[in-house]
Amino acid sequence: FHFGVSFTKIFLNPISQGLEKKQTKLDFKRTLAAEYVIDIAETSATLTGYKIDTVNKEDHAIEYKASSSLYDTWSDELPINSFVMTITIQDNRAIVKLENNAANDPVNSSLVSILSRIMIQSIENFENSNVILFEFPNEEALKIICDKTSDEFALTLFQPLIGSTENIELSEMVSQTGETLGLVPRKLVHLQNLLHRGIGVLVTKDRSIVLPQQKEHAKSQPELFLHRRTDTKRIFPSLYDMFIGGVSMAREDARLTASREIAEELGLERALSDPSMLSDALFNCTICTSYNRCIVTVFCCNFLSGSEDLISLQREEVAWGEFVNYNTVVASADLSIKRLIEKGKWPGAVSKSMSSRVAKSKVHEDDSCKWREWEFVPDGLLVWEVWLEWQNSSDDGLKV
């Protein structure tokens, strides 16, 4: 893993997919949507989509290829584009056109509609407060008062696609560096697998996690809070996760997202008012699965068992949760990864160090639970892999 420029703290590039490439500054904003890697010109006037399979032809899982394509300069040979979209500003008209759309493999019209609205929000060629006529491919024109600082503007843009805008949560579609490209209704983020922002929090009991840059060595890591998703969850029901995770809302700071998720899922509302409950942002990582592409900011939270705080699980989201021995989590996660690899369902690459570690899958004395049978959510496992790499990135840190 290589370190690069971070938009908050440390940015591991490209994180959990096992990619060992050097990050290069690109002259455009790059993102992911559906089966495409998307390049948006700095002027935001041109958007080019490439099929991920044409960008990376290596024998890897498509999720790994998606992560790889975010940071690949394609210096050897520029892949053939699948489609191009352009935006033209004429007086108070914004005209989005779809060009070079491959006749034998046309881009999904729903995706075109979403990307059109992202382009509108990205471009800087018209001023707020003006009434703009927006013309999109194969849609009726929209006449809207432009105010890109307003959530209402984004909701009005997307209203033809989602119907009622009441109680609609907005998230952000982002570039490979975490820069906001535009606001999108959250329901459309997973529908088209758009790259967005989110968080992951490791919750410890009574002791803070041992970090790699700390000089003092500890004999062991503290217990981690492990939970199982409810069987009614639409995605990955009944699977386990070592992270409390969530999607960042529009314009929401990652730290606030982490505090909100801790309060909602564990009932620890003090996290919203007491900054000391959360660590600083430790690192950012990009993870890609078949339903979730996210730049994740990782935090730690220390729960004091003797305090007034009580964990109260959000029963709609969490079926079970307990603090578990750290090494039990490591061993159980390794076995879960091993099974995914054997089934050909692991969404990342398999490095030599990871392959060696997973093959050994440490066995230890904790037989108080059926840890060998726990199956984890793939996106949580990807972030966990980055966590282990990060933990082992310094000789001063605790190696497990």
Side-chain angles (χ1 to χ4, degrees):
F1 290 86
H2 298 274
F3 293 87
V5 178
S6 167
F7 62 95
T8 51
K9 281 281 183 181
I10 302 170
F11 194 92
L12 295 174
N13 168 41
I15 337 296
S16 54
Q17 312 299 103
L19 189 62
E20 301 287 348
K21 293 186 179 181
K22 187 176 180 180
Q23 185 168 350
T24 304
K25 187 179 185 306
L26 303 176
D27 295 329
F28 39 79
K29 304 164 188 175
R30 180 168 286 173
T31 189
L32 297 167
E35 65 267 42
Y36 301 97
V37 54
I38 306 292
D39 284 351
I40 303 177
E42 283 294 342
T43 61
S44 301
T46 305
L47 179 153
T48 308
Y50 305 91
K51 274 288 185 70
I52 292 171
D53 275 337
T54 68
V55 171
N56 187 325
K57 298 180 181 179
E58 297 176 5
D59 186 21
H60 290 299
I62 188 64
E63 297 91 345
Y64 169 84
K65 292 181 179 182
S67 179
S68 171
S69 66
L70 277 176
Y71 303 93
D72 198 333
T73 57
W74 310 337
S75 55
D76 296 334
E77 182 181 352
L78 188 68
I80 299 174
N81 64 66
S82 295
F83 66 94
V84 176
M85 296 172 63
T86 61
I87 183 169
T88 305
I89 306 298
Q90 297 177 353
D91 298 323
N92 285 335
R93 294 174 63 203
I95 305 168
V96 180
K97 293 183 178 180
L98 175 64
E99 302 174 356
N100 297 352
N101 190 14
N104 59 339
D105 190 16
V107 63
N108 181 281
S109 60
S110 175
L111 180 60
V112 170
S113 295
I114 293 171
L115 294 178
S116 296
R117 286 154 172 83
I118 293 297
M119 294 180 73
I120 289 295
Q121 295 178 73
S122 297
I123 203 160
E124 300 177 356
N125 289 30
F126 43 76
E127 298 180 359
N128 285 340
S129 301
N130 285 356
V131 177
I132 307 294
L133 183 69
F134 297 105
E135 300 180 22
F136 303 122
N138 303 315
E139 291 187 51
E140 292 185 8
L142 282 177
K143 185 176 287 188
I144 308 174
I145 297 177
C146 178
D147 182 3
K148 290 189 287 183
T149 64
S150 166
D151 289 358
E152 190 63 32
F153 174 63
L155 288 171
T156 305
L157 276 176
F158 280 98
Q159 190 275 328
L161 307 185
I162 62 174
S164 173
T165 59
E166 187 176 356
N167 299 322
I168 292 295
E169 294 180 335
L170 289 173
S171 300
E172 298 172 358
M173 186 176 184
V174 300
S175 72
Q176 82 280 18
T177 63
E179 178 184 356
T180 301
L181 300 174
L183 307 188
V184 188
R186 182 172 173 175
K187 62 191 294 185
L188 298 181
V189 168
H190 291 302
L191 181 65
Q192 295 292 348
N193 210 351
L194 308 180
L195 186 64
H196 59 283
R197 292 191 300 115
I199 58 90
V201 184
L202 290 175
V203 180
T204 62
K205 182 180 179 183
D206 294 331
R207 291 191 292 127
S208 297
I209 205 84
V210 179
L211 302 177
Q213 67 268 29
Q214 293 174 328
K215 298 297 181 182
E216 299 80 14
H217 287 260
K219 293 183 179 179
S220 65
Q221 291 279 22
E223 292 181 333
L224 290 181
F225 187 80
L226 191 72
H227 68 278
R228 186 177 74 247
R229 297 160 65 88
T230 59
D231 58 7
T232 57
K233 293 286 286 184
R234 182 175 59 88
I235 299 172
F236 294 135
S238 302
L239 296 193
Y240 290 79
D241 201 346
M242 66 284 287
F243 291 95
I244 301 298
V247 175
S248 291
M249 297 295 98
R251 304 184 181 92
E252 185 178 49
D253 178 75
R255 188 179 183 85
L256 178 56
T257 307
S259 298
R260 176 174 56 77
E261 292 293 342
I262 289 293
E264 291 176 358
E265 293 197 20
L266 302 186
L268 298 176
E269 295 186 1
R270 186 165 63 86
L272 293 169
S273 58
D274 185 356
S276 68
M277 284 197 70
L278 277 180
S279 70
D280 290 337
L282 301 178
F283 58 82
N284 301 324
C285 62
T286 304
I287 61 103
C288 293
T289 68
S290 59
Y291 79 97
N292 185 23
R293 292 167 178 161
C294 187
I295 294 182
V296 181
T297 304
V298 174
F299 298 85
C300 287
C301 172
N302 183 23
F303 170 76
L304 300 177
S305 57
S307 68
E308 296 180 357
D309 297 323
L310 295 175
I311 290 179
S312 175
L313 301 180
Q314 185 182 24
R315 289 303 178 185
E316 297 82 8
E317 302 282 337
V318 183
W320 167 91
E322 285 186 11
F323 285 98
V324 177
N325 178 283
Y326 185 92
N327 286 331
T328 301
V329 177
V330 173
S332 181
D334 280 352
L335 288 173
S336 186
I337 292 172
K338 185 176 182 180
R339 288 189 288 267
L340 286 172
I341 293 173
E342 290 171 349
K343 295 175 183 177
K345 294 183 177 181
W346 174 241
V350 182
S351 65
K352 289 183 179 179
S353 61
M354 172 186 165
S355 179
S356 175
R357 191 196 78 242
V358 170
K360 295 175 182 177
S361 296
K362 292 182 183 178
V363 177
H364 55 93
E365 298 76 17
D366 187 359
D367 288 319
S368 60
C369 53
K370 298 181 179 180
W371 60 269
R372 293 175 179 84
E373 302 171 8
W374 292 342
E375 299 292 356
F376 289 78
V377 293
D379 47 357
L381 287 174
L382 288 171
V383 181
W384 179 249
E385 274 300 303
V386 187
W387 169 262
L388 295 180
E389 290 282 348
W390 186 70
Q391 276 287 324
N392 293 329
S393 64
S394 168
D395 291 337
D396 294 329
L398 179 71
K399 296 178 185 282
V400 293

